Amino acid sequence: MKYYSTNGKALDATLEEAVVRGLASDKGLYMPRQIKPLPQSFYDEIETFSFPEIAYKVADAFFGEDVPAETLKQIVYDTLNFDVPAVKVKDNIYSLELFHGPTLAFKDVGGRFMARLLGYFIRKEGKKQVNVLVATSGDTGSAVANGFLGVEGIHVYVLYPKGKVSEIQEKQFTTLGRNITAVEVDGTFDDCQALVKNAFMDKELNEHMQLTSANSINVARFLPQAFYYFYAYAQMKKIGKADNLVVCVPSGNFGNITAGLFGKRMGLPVKRFIAANNRNDIFYQYLKTGEYCPRPSVATIANAMDVGDPSNFARVLDLYEGSHDAIASEISGETYTDEQIRETVQKVYEETGYLLDPHGACGYRALAEELKEGEVGLFLETAHPAKFLQTVESIIGVEVKIPEKLQAFMKGTKQSVPMSKDFAAFKAYLMKQ
Ligand SMILES: *Cc1c(COP(=O)(O)O)cnc(C)c1O
């Protein structure tokens, strides 16, 4: 499969080139030349397959031309060593729990897949060290760091905004050591993302070291997120709830929802999508006005969605050939304040006993407000509520049990490299590595 750049000025890349480079040389995002529909027979019997079986069929459509079948199968099965259950919350609203992986957030899927695929390419080529740069507003850092921990030939630099991630999130990528370095940036998530983008564009730095990105701009992280949309559909079909399925995705950088849109292109029968935003409502405003106006991000209690210039918007535009009408016909948007998020967490907990995290709360609320007669809603519960312990406990006034996987991280000692948001300082640091 060839990959082209959304900016249209770079040459096509192979899968390996796209994965190793992350971003195309013209600063565009890579897109596969083809999105292959899966056969009707697959959809007819999808509910009889396991999650890894379904995921492998999807992975084969994306990567089957470039990775030997046995290797790809191994990567998929290793990646998905946890379940992604669709759980009923209320009437016709279901939660797709994406938090049963090692760091309790959906990014484990893409992080684990990418680490394994990149590891395969490095072994195959006998490449020298590859350095992964990843900017995080919270959960990416932990998923990527844990996905890559101990993978030979790869060093990971996690850039995160100082004081803007929760303590548990921070512990998950600052305590690992080995091939993982945490860089604590005095700035916002957008500053971290800008440092990473600048690093990729810097000729001297790229001659000094092989750099790649593990943000959702990387196709190896982004595409595997499609897997669980298919498995979600299979689960809903099994219980007779798959007709008129509306999928709602709490969105920040728009990688997660875009993978779902790819699924729809492959024939997955989702009626429509909802992108739920916090107060960083760039996409919501785009749907309303047809104008894309990025702004500096503002901090919210759903901090993994505090993004002011969502990278994957370029992919959404490309997928619909720039047509606002086409985009608005398949995706609607909602935006919620911290107050509304709090209210939703509390109300759902009181009424149903189901504890939402602040991101999932945006997803739930959008469905509760938008679902029409005859529609069934599924929102992506993108992280475990205990990852946002203080926020969630202060809302419901009840102590939240911390899963064991998280407790293990809390015992580690934080280690980080302090950094200014100034590119020159970051570059000087990397040049010494
Ligand atoms: C990353 C993240 C999001 C946003 O996902 P995007 O792919 O960036 O849109 C939502 N919720 C949680 C918990 C996250 O970690």
Side-chain angles (χ1 to χ4, degrees), residues 158-221:
V158 179
L159 284 77
Y160 72 103
K162 180 177 171 175
K164 294 191 177 65
V165 303
S166 78
E167 189 190 350
I168 295 179
Q169 287 177 324
E170 187 176 37
K171 285 273 186 181
Q172 287 182 310
F173 53 78
T174 57
T175 60
L176 298 168
R178 296 169 70 183
N179 59 330
I180 312 296
T181 302
V183 180
E184 189 171 7
V185 177
D186 198 356
T188 63
F189 168 70
D190 293 320
D191 293 325
C192 296
Q193 192 148 269
L195 285 178
V196 169
K197 283 189 179 163
N198 279 319
F200 291 131
M201 295 306 140
D202 191 280
K203 200 158 168 271
E204 193 185 5
L205 193 55
N206 284 272
E207 276 159 14
H208 174 70
M209 65 208 298
Q210 170 85 59
L211 294 176
T212 189
S213 146
N215 277 91
S216 55
I217 54 177
N218 198 299
V219 291
R221 241 202 77 200

Side-chain angles (χ1 to χ4, degrees), residues 106-107 139 250-256 304-305 359 382-383:
F106 79 88
K107 295 187 176 79
D139 286 336
S251 294
N253 242 331
F254 280 71
N256 205 3
M305 308 188 331
H359 307 79
T382 46

Side-chain angles (χ1 to χ4, degrees), residues 6 17 203 249 267 289 402:
T6 51
E17 287 163 348
K203 200 158 168 271
V249 187
T289 64
I402 305 179

